[in-house]
């Protein structure tokens, strides 16, 4: 039987509709809408496109938003000062610092400077620590989006073998922690594989749920996947494609066409995890607003 497509675009629109209803109710009470700010340093085209999507999503759910654009030459001290200003601004419920930052700026220093109460990307070690211990916090947007996707599609995780490929602080590692937690979408037996893992193919083949977040096109091939596995493709890779006007197209980490007959569920790229990441950012911003206003 062909795999069921986990349509992140559709699901994210459903969730945006739910957020919009809450925002309408907030505004009907005479309160201001939630506000998300984004800091964008330099002019990386991929970052520009991510920011456009985030601003569009804010409009769709009824949030106000703004983008603070700064030149590539911005110093680390100037960026830290900007972060500090946003931390203090009462009208801003949450903000993000779009990554990657220019090489002369230390990402970690900047992320540490963000007030954890406004850290709607969930990257601050305070939120990461709370996440690991199952305490209330902002979950990192991409793993949060994947949890929502599994939950809303009634995909059981309890007792399942999960393999996560990639150990970054923003995707792979938090994903592996979240699915191993004692919670509704969790209770899985999780293996995290990475660039130094031996026998990676054989380990992946044991997975009931395989989550790939490494950023290499067509890395996950048919022979690495168990029949009937759930395949979640986080990767976003641009490859050349002479048939396209632009000369390129986006693909994930997974050999999608050849897995359609083997997987039970699979996420497409684009239109899978990406939109779920953005909607999770909206959910975190709403949470920041509600916490601040004690709603
Ligand atoms: P990263 O580069 O920080 O981490 C990649 C990880 O993959 C590393 O931990 C590394 O150990 C592992 N890796 C690299 N080569 C490997 C190999 N040959 N075998 C096994 N593991 C290997 O990347 P990231 O920020 O976690 O992003 C991963 C991918 O996900 C990228 O394509 C990125 O664009 C995409 N991404 C998508 C979304 C989304 O919303 N869809 C969000 C964030 C990142």
């Amino acid at each position: 039987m062909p795999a069921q497509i986990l349509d992140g675009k559709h699901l994210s629109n459903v969730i945006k509709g739910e957020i919009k209803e809450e925002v309408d109710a907030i505004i009907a009470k005479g309160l201001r809408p939630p506000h998300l700010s984004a800091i964008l340093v330099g002019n990386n085209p991929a970052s520009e496109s991510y920011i456009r999507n985030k601003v569009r999503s804010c409009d769709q759910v009824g949030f106000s938003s703004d983008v603070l654009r700064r030149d590539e030459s911005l110093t680390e001290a100037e960026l830290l000062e900007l972060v500090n200003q946003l931390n203090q601004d009462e009208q801003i419920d949450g903000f993000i610092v779009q990554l990657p930052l220019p090489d002369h700026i230390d990402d970690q220093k900047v992320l540490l400077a963000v007030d954890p109460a406004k850290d709607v990307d969930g990257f601050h070690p305070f939120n990461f620590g709370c996440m690991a211990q199952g305490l209330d916090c902002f979950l990192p947007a991409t793993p949060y989006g994947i949890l929502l996707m599994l939950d809303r599609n009634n995909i059981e995780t309890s007792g399942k073998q999960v393999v996560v490929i990639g150990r970054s602080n923003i995707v792979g590692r938090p994903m592996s922690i979240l699915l191993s937690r004692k919670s509704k979408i969790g209770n899985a037996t999780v293996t995290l594989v990475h660039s130094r893992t031996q026998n990676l193919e054989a380990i992946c083949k044991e997975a009931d749920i395989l989550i790939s977040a490494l950023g290499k096109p067509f890395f996950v091939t048919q022979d690495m996947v168990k029949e009937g596995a759930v395949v979640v493709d986080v990767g976003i890779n641009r490859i050349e494609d002479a048939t396209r006007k632009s000369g390129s197209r986006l693909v994930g980490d997974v050999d999608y066409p050849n897995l359609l007959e083997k997987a039970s569920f699979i996420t497409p790229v684009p239109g899978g995890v990406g939109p779920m990441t953005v909607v999770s950012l909206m959910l975190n911003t709403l949470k920041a607003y509600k916490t601040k206003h004690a709603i």
Side-chain angles (χ1 to χ4, degrees), residues 225-291:
V225 177
K226 181 161 91 175
E227 189 80 44
V230 176
V231 178
V232 177
D233 191 354
V234 185
I236 302 177
N237 309 292
R238 187 164 286 284
I239 60 163
E240 285 183 17
D241 183 346
T243 68
R244 299 285 173 104
K245 217 167 119 190
S246 62
S248 68
R249 71 184 156 104
L250 292 180
V251 295
D253 292 343
V254 164
D255 183 3
Y256 182 82
N258 286 314
L259 276 162
L260 279 173
E261 290 298 322
K262 198 163 189 187
S264 56
F265 292 88
I266 191 164
T267 61
V269 178
V273 175
M276 295 305 298
T277 297
V278 181
V279 85
S280 299
L281 179 65
M282 302 297 121
L283 285 169
N284 278 344
T285 305
L286 182 62
K287 179 180 168 69
Y289 177 92
K290 285 162 70 173
T291 306

